[in-house]
């Protein structure tokens, strides 16, 4: 009987602890409700209504309007290519780092993260100064008798800015997944007669897919919704979907259309996250097996 | 349990926020008397002048700033702060007067208002026909700031922006109304036209021009010409004055087809209960020493004849500071459109930007 009451009180104590634990979540819940859920509801409501407040689906499908189609294609291609270039830079770099003799990999990691300490708008302004018509890059090019490079205010400048800004977000997960492949697995493959190329394609690559997947999400999603880089490096001439949404809210004051476009953009983002997010789980399971 | 806590917290937040709302209102009405709430554009008044005003009159100034006329309008209308006097641009002054937000001012009671030249009162009539609401504060034009080392011969027409001679070397304003205004002027139409055909024609010209434009910028337009990245840019006259300070090769011109003549004016809002203090403040701004200090802080064109008289010859002959009467001949003050025309502008601007 005594034992039983002790157990009960212990259980109660545990229960109380759980309740206290839940209390700790309140600031987070208020934060999420105030800054994510409620604004999202506002946007959803605005997206499916028109100026007079009656229901419409026009704003949601406005993304396919000829006026916005170019921006959609531009957003998609800039996001696609910046993600691709990030992978092409980050993956070989990670492999080289894994095989290199540098023992203190945390220093390398530190150098990679270092640019992220600076405000990203500031870094984009720096890029603007570098590649502008009379910028440092063209100064050097003309000094060695090469033709100046006119890439400012073109899609290439935006692409460059995005790769520069988002590379660490690809580098970190990819490097992490490549470094965490156990040496035993590779040695086992070599014992069984795999050459270096086979080890790369059959062991290292499949085992690092998870890192690539999260890298893709972390680069593709922000570059899809980006508008500041396009504003600064595109000179107001090149519009991404983000720019159009911004304009709807600040210039033309059509908040319903702006919200509709935001929601359709969210759909695009969700689709990519689902494709690459699932990939992520699969490989994680593969590693634990 | 958790739901209850959330609802209690939410209720508490609601109660607290509504209470603070009340106390602010009480403050607003009770403390009134020796406090004046002034609303102005950013960096549009020498800050020391506010201290001087308080020292001289004992009236405390609460100073609020905004960056665009639209932002001012939204803040004013939302009623969060009760503004007593505010300074905004011509078409926005017109809108506020038409909506009954401005109080009539008896300018004969303000001795220093006589410093404002008659020609500026006449300009103001475009949006305040009887000169009964708006006090001119600063004015200026929109024109072309160009680099004389990169341009053949003097520039005197908007044509240089549209004839393709300087393809890739032109910076346009990333501002719908300004960009349309100069294009309408180039086509020899009124910049206040509400004729759909004329507006569409301007839109077509801008679409055709887009490949030649290096960038559409606002604040950086001047800097790009100063830095030598572009041969010319469409800028406000005050920006042009500063640009020339940085780079002596630059020149500013108001093209012969005419341009926009803009005037920023002070009005007293209908919420202002202490009109005495408000009048004192506006009169203070017209006083020569104060207007002089403000002019030297901003370097836009001043309507204060006392200040103009004491300027040295260089400043008087600088078209960015004191445009000649001939160059202003074809200039127009811009007025507010009706919503239908605004809608057309928005559509065309979107098409241009989407190109």
């Amino acid at each position: 009987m005594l034992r039983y009451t002790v157990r009960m009180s212990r259980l109660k104590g545990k229960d109380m602890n759980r309740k206290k634990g839940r209390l700790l979540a309140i600031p987070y819940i208020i934060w999420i409700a105030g800054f994510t859920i409620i604004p999202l509801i506002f946007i959803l409501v605005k997206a499916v209504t028109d100026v007079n407040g009656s229901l419409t689906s026009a704003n949601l499908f406005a993304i396919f309007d000829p006026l916005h189609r170019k921006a959609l294609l531009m957003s998609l291609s800039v996001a696609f290519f910046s993600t691709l270039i990030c992978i092409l830079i980050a993956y070989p770099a990670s492999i080289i780092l894994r095989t290199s003799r540098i023992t203190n990999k945390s220093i390398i990691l530190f150098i990679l993260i270092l640019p992220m300490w600076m405000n990203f708008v500031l870094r984009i302004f720096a890029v603007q100064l570098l590649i502008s018509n009379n910028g440092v890059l063209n100064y050097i090019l003309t000094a060695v008798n090469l033709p100046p490079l006119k890439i400012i205010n073109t899609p290439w400048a935006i692409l460059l800015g995005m790769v520069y800004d988002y590379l660490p977000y690809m580098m970190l997960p990819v490097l992490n997944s490549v470094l965490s492949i156990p040496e035993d697995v590779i040695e086992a493959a070599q014992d069984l007669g795999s050459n270096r190329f086979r080890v790369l394609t059959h062991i290292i690559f499949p085992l690092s897919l998870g890192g690539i997947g999260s890298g893709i999400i972390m680069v593709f999603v922000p570059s899809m919704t980006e508008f500041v880089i396009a504003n600064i490096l595109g000179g107001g001439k090149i519009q991404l979907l983000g720019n159009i949404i911004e304009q709807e809210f600040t210039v033309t004051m059509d908040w319903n259309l702006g919200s509709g476009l935001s929601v359709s953009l969210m759909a695009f983002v969700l689709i990519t996250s689902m494709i690459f997010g699932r990939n992520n789980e699969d490989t994680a399971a593969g590693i634990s097996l | 349990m958790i739901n209850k806590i959330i609802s209690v917290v939410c209720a508490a937040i609601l109660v607290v926020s509504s209470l603070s709302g009340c106390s602010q209102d009480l403050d607003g009405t009770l403390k009134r008397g020796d406090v004046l709430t002034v609303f102005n554009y950013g960096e549009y008044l020498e800050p020391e002048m506010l201290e001087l005003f308080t020292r001289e009159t004992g009236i405390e100034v609460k100073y609020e700033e905004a960056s665009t006329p639209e932002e001012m309008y939204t803040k004013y209308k939302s009623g969060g702060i009760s503004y007593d006097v505010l300074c905004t641009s011509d078409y926005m002054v017109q809108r506020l007067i038409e909506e009954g937000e401005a109080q009539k001012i008896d300018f004969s009671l303000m001795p220093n208002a006589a410093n404002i030249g008659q020609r500026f009162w006449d300009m103001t009539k475009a949006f305040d026909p009887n000169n009964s609401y708006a006090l001119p504060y600063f004015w200026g034009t929109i024109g072309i700031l160009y680099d004389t080392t990169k341009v053949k011969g003097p520039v005197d027409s908007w044509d240089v922006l549209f004839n393709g001679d300087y393809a890739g070397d032109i910076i346009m304003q990333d501002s719908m109304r300004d960009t349309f205004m100069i294009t309408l002027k180039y086509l020899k139409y009124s910049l206040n036209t509400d004729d759909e055909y004329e507006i569409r024609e301007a839109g077509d010209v801008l679409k055709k021009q887009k490949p030649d434009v290096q960038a559409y910028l606002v604040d950086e337009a001047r800097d790009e010409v100063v830095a030598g990245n572009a041969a010319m840019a469409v800028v406000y006259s005050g920006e042009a004055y500063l640009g020339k300070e940085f780079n002596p090769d630059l020149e500013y011109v108001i093209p012969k087809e005419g341009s926009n003549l803009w005037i920023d004016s002070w009005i007293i809002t209908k919420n202002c209960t202490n009109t005495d203090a408000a009048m004192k403040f506006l009169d203070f701004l017209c006083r020569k020493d104060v207007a002089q200090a403000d002019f030297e802080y901003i370097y836009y064109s001043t309507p204060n004849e006392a200040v103009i008289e004491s300027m040295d010859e260089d400043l008087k002959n600088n078209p960015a500071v004191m445009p000649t009467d001939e160059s202003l001949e074809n200039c127009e003050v811009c007025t507010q459109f009706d919503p239908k025309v605004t809608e057309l502008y928005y559509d065309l601007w979107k098409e241009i930007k989407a190109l």
Side-chain angles (χ1 to χ4, degrees), chain A residues 26 134 153 235-237 248, chain B residues 5 213-214 216 228-229 350 353:
Chain A
I26 286 178
N134 273 359
N153 305 329
K237 272 183 89 181
E248 290 302 337
Chain B
I5 293 173
V213 177
Q214 189 186 97
Y216 295 90
N229 288 329
K350 271 186 79 169
K353 293 301 291 277

Side-chain angles (χ1 to χ4, degrees), chain B residues 84-353:
Chain B
D84 295 313
V85 290
L86 66 87
C87 166
T88 188
S89 304
D90 28 49
Y91 68 99
M92 200 48 86
V93 171
Q94 182 190 8
R95 183 168 177 182
L96 290 170
I97 293 174
E98 277 169 8
E99 289 176 7
E101 299 292 346
Q103 275 189 41
K104 281 199 172 174
I105 306 173
D106 186 354
F107 290 109
S108 65
L109 298 176
M110 289 164 43
N112 292 317
N115 282 342
I116 308 294
Q118 185 55 43
R119 49 184 172 146
F120 304 107
W121 290 110
D122 290 342
M123 287 178 192
T124 313
K125 281 185 179 154
F127 52 90
D128 176 19
N130 299 320
N131 283 139
S132 46
Y133 296 99
L135 174 73
Y137 181 50
F138 276 104
W139 64 286
T141 51
I142 296 177
I144 304 174
L145 178 70
Y146 63 98
D147 189 332
T148 48
T149 61
K150 294 188 172 162
V151 174
K152 279 179 249 110
V155 172
D156 69 342
S157 162
W158 293 117
D159 191 47
V160 288
L161 300 175
F162 300 102
N163 64 12
D165 281 358
Y166 298 101
D169 259 345
I170 297 164
I171 305 226
M172 296 290 283
Q173 281 284 319
D174 193 7
S175 142
M176 181 184 76
R177 189 80 203 258
D178 295 334
T179 300
F180 266 95
M181 274 192 301
I182 62 159
T183 316
L184 287 165
K185 276 308 205 184
Y186 164 65
L187 296 170
K188 307 227 164 51
Y189 299 137
S190 161
L191 54 81
N192 291 317
T193 181
D194 54 6
D195 182 304
E196 188 179 335
Y197 175 79
E198 293 177 359
I199 297 171
R200 283 195 184 278
E201 192 183 342
D204 287 341
V205 168
L206 286 169
K207 279 181 209 167
K208 215 179 114 224
Q209 182 215 20
K210 190 176 178 185
D212 292 350
V213 177
Q214 189 186 97
Y216 295 90
L217 303 172
V218 183
D219 300 328
E220 305 95 341
R222 177 196 74 203
D223 303 338
E224 289 295 292
V225 184
V226 169
N229 288 329
M232 59 187 71
V234 176
V235 297
Y236 287 96
S237 48
E239 297 291 310
Y241 175 82
L242 287 172
K244 220 181 145 155
E245 293 284 291
F246 290 120
N247 183 346
D249 288 336
L250 305 188
E251 281 301 337
Y252 175 76
V253 65
I254 303 165
K256 58 175 189 251
E257 296 94 343
S259 173
N260 168 231
L261 187 141
W262 52 265
I263 310 166
D264 292 339
S265 315
W266 289 98
I267 56 168
I268 300 180
T269 69
K270 68 163 189 218
N271 304 328
C272 175
T273 46
N274 194 347
T275 37
D276 232 26
M279 301 266 282
K280 263 185 201 161
F281 182 71
L282 296 191
D283 189 48
F284 173 81
L285 289 178
C286 293
R287 213 170 71 192
K288 196 203 161 201
D289 59 320
V290 180
Q292 179 89 36
D294 283 336
F295 169 69
E296 279 163 11
Y297 183 71
I298 304 158
Y299 277 113
Y300 279 15
S301 310
T302 173
N304 196 304
E305 297 285 4
V307 177
I308 296 171
E309 259 168 49
S310 63
M311 280 181 197
D312 59 37
E313 285 303 308
D314 265 7
L315 271 180
K316 266 189 202 168
N317 295 328
N318 186 331
V321 177
M322 275 329 291
T324 59
D325 287 343
E326 303 98 75
S327 67
L328 292 180
E329 218 163 76
N330 293 323
C331 289
E332 287 177 90
V333 176
C334 95
T335 53
Q336 182 76 20
F337 285 134
D338 67 68
K340 246 194 167 158
V341 178
T342 312
E343 197 75 11
L344 175 63
Y345 262 82
Y346 284 155
D347 287 347
L348 290 174
W349 183 242
K350 271 186 79 169
E351 284 173 24
I352 294 163
K353 293 301 291 277

Side-chain angles (χ1 to χ4, degrees), chain A residues 19 22-23 26 29-30 67-68 70 125 128 132-135 150 153 231 234-239 244 247-248 251-253 257, chain B residues 1-2 5-6 9 13 74 150 168 174 176 210-211 213-217 220 224 227-229 346-347 349-351 353-355:
Chain A
K19 272 183 181 158
R22 279 184 185 169
L23 280 176
I26 286 178
I29 290 167
I30 292 175
L67 209 57
H68 305 134
K70 196 179 172 194
F125 272 119
Q128 188 195 27
S132 67
N133 289 344
N134 273 359
K150 289 211 166 185
N153 305 329
N231 258 349
K237 272 183 89 181
I238 294 137
Q239 289 204 305
I244 291 189
Q247 295 252 319
E248 290 302 337
V251 182
T252 42
M253 292 297 194
L257 180 55
Chain B
M1 179 62 188
I2 193 92
I5 293 173
I6 291 177
V9 170
I13 290 172
T74 317
K150 294 188 172 162
D174 193 7
M176 181 184 76
K210 190 176 178 185
V213 177
Q214 189 186 97
Y216 295 90
L217 303 172
E220 305 95 341
E224 289 295 292
N229 288 329
Y346 284 155
D347 287 347
W349 183 242
K350 271 186 79 169
E351 284 173 24
K353 293 301 291 277
L355 217 59

